[in-house]
């Protein structure tokens, strides 16, 4: 069973601060995805990283995939109240059943206070 | 439709009742997934369909859980003799093979989920 550990579990910061969320595993993944989920909604895909060492930027969000493809981080610069939500990382592995199965972490619940 | 549609959004069942949850995927999406998300947890995989074929049902927690997608479009997740531990949000997601080939990974679009509460 592949496990993804996310830290911190909860994060409450002031608007304008920077933050980093971590996603760690002992397993190697073919790719890793980050999702954001708001209350009462399904997760929405933010980014997919595929190559070890890859860095992707999405406005104020920077995503990094570890060299060994076992871990990832999400860095948010100058957080805004609209960034509030549950951030989920998900590792993809081939399930052998014609599908790439996603294993999710438990998430980091971010609150950005105005 | 434009997105993945799930119904009902909320379901309250008495312990022992059967429930059926429906998922309408994005038109043309070949792959369909069901996930279970307990309160404060990340989604956990239940089952996967490619068209009408159920290729992976390794995540179904017991034989009380059954999923079908008879015509390769709409899917139904059925839970028989519900128990309190079945209380969760059930999420459906769909993806296209074209998106997977382009990105190297499944690009899942999730529905808003069906929240099941078993009393």
């Amino acid at each position: 069973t592949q496990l993804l550990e996310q830290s911190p579990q909860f994060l409450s910061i002031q608007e304008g601060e920077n933050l980093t969320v971590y996603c760690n595993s002992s397993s190697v993944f073919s790719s890793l995805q980050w999702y954001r989920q708001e209350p009462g909604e399904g997760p929405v895909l933010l980014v997919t990283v595929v190559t070890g060492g890859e860095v992707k930027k999405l406005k104020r969000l920077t995503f990094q995939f570890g060299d060994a493809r076992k871990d990832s981080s999400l860095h948010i610069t100058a957080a805004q109240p609209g960034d509030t939500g549950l951030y989920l990382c998900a590792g993809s592995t081939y399930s052998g059943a014609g599908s790439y199965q996603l294993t999710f972490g438990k998430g980091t619940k971010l609150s950005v206070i105005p | 439709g434009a997105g993945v549609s799930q119904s009902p959004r909320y379901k309250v069942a008495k312990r022992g009742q059967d429930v059926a949850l429906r998922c309408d995927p994005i038109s043309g999406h070949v792959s369909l997934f069901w996930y279970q998300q307990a309160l404060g947890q990340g989604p956990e995989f239940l089952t996967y369909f490619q068209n009408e074929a159920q290729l992976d049902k390794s995540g179904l927690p017991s034989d009380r859980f059954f999923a079908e997608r008879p015509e390769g479009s709409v899917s139904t997740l059925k839970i028989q003799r519900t128990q309190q531990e079945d209380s969760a949000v059930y999420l459906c997601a769909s993806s296209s093979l074209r998106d997977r080939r382009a990105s190297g990974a499944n690009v899942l679009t999730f529905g808003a989920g069906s929240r099941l509460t078993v009393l």
Side-chain angles (χ1 to χ4, degrees):
Chain A
T1 303
Q2 291 107 0
L3 290 175
L4 277 167
E5 302 284 342
Q6 282 190 245
S7 61
Q9 194 173 351
F10 300 97
L11 190 55
S12 181
I13 62 171
Q14 295 289 329
E15 181 177 0
E17 291 184 351
N18 302 332
L19 67 112
T20 302
V21 175
Y22 299 93
C23 176
N24 296 296
S25 175
S26 57
S27 302
V28 175
F29 294 102
S30 58
S31 66
L32 196 135
Q33 297 178 329
W34 284 91
Y35 290 80
R36 180 164 158 260
Q37 185 176 24
E38 297 194 45
E41 300 295 327
V44 175
L45 180 66
L46 296 174
V47 77
T48 300
V49 284
V50 179
T51 307
E54 183 176 2
V55 177
K56 278 191 174 177
K57 291 192 176 183
L58 190 68
K59 297 184 180 177
R60 294 177 293 100
L61 278 59
T62 302
F63 304 86
Q64 186 162 7
F65 200 13
D67 290 341
R69 307 210 316 275
K70 293 182 179 182
D71 51 79
S72 181
S73 64
L74 158 60
H75 183 78
I76 301 179
T77 304
Q80 298 177 0
D83 296 328
T84 294
L86 179 68
Y87 289 82
L88 295 158
C89 67
S92 181
T93 52
Y94 185 64
S95 67
S99 170
Y100 286 83
Q101 191 175 115
L102 277 183
T103 302
F104 282 86
K106 291 185 177 181
T108 294
K109 193 168 184 179
L110 172 65
S111 296
V112 182
I113 303 164
Chain B
V4 177
S5 179
Q6 292 189 245
S7 61
R9 287 295 313 275
Y10 303 93
K11 175 69 179 178
V12 178
K14 290 184 179 177
R15 191 163 54 117
Q17 280 185 333
D18 298 348
V19 300
L21 308 175
R22 175 188 168 108
C23 173
D24 242 300
I26 291 174
S27 179
H29 274 194
V30 166
S31 303
L32 185 146
F33 301 80
W34 283 99
Y35 285 83
Q36 180 190 60
Q37 186 173 24
L39 190 63
Q41 305 292 319
E44 291 198 5
F45 171 79
L46 293 177
T47 187
Y48 160 69
F49 290 86
Q50 188 166 309
N51 295 306
E52 69 278 2
Q54 189 175 19
L55 297 187
D56 189 349
K57 53 182 181 179
S58 61
L60 295 176
S62 77
D63 59 7
R64 296 185 296 104
F65 286 71
F66 172 76
E68 60 183 5
R69 195 187 185 196
E71 296 177 2
S73 178
V74 171
S75 177
T76 304
L77 176 67
K78 296 178 180 177
I79 309 173
Q80 296 176 323
R81 304 181 304 280
T82 52
Q83 305 292 316
Q84 283 188 321
E85 62 263 27
D86 300 334
S87 295
V89 175
Y90 290 86
L91 294 164
C92 176
S94 68
S95 70
S96 72
L97 291 179
R98 182 185 65 182
D99 287 342
R100 189 171 88 197
R101 282 192 286 269
S103 69
N106 275 331
V107 178
L108 299 190
T109 301
F110 281 86
S114 292
R115 179 179 293 277
L116 172 64
T117 302
V118 182
L119 303 177

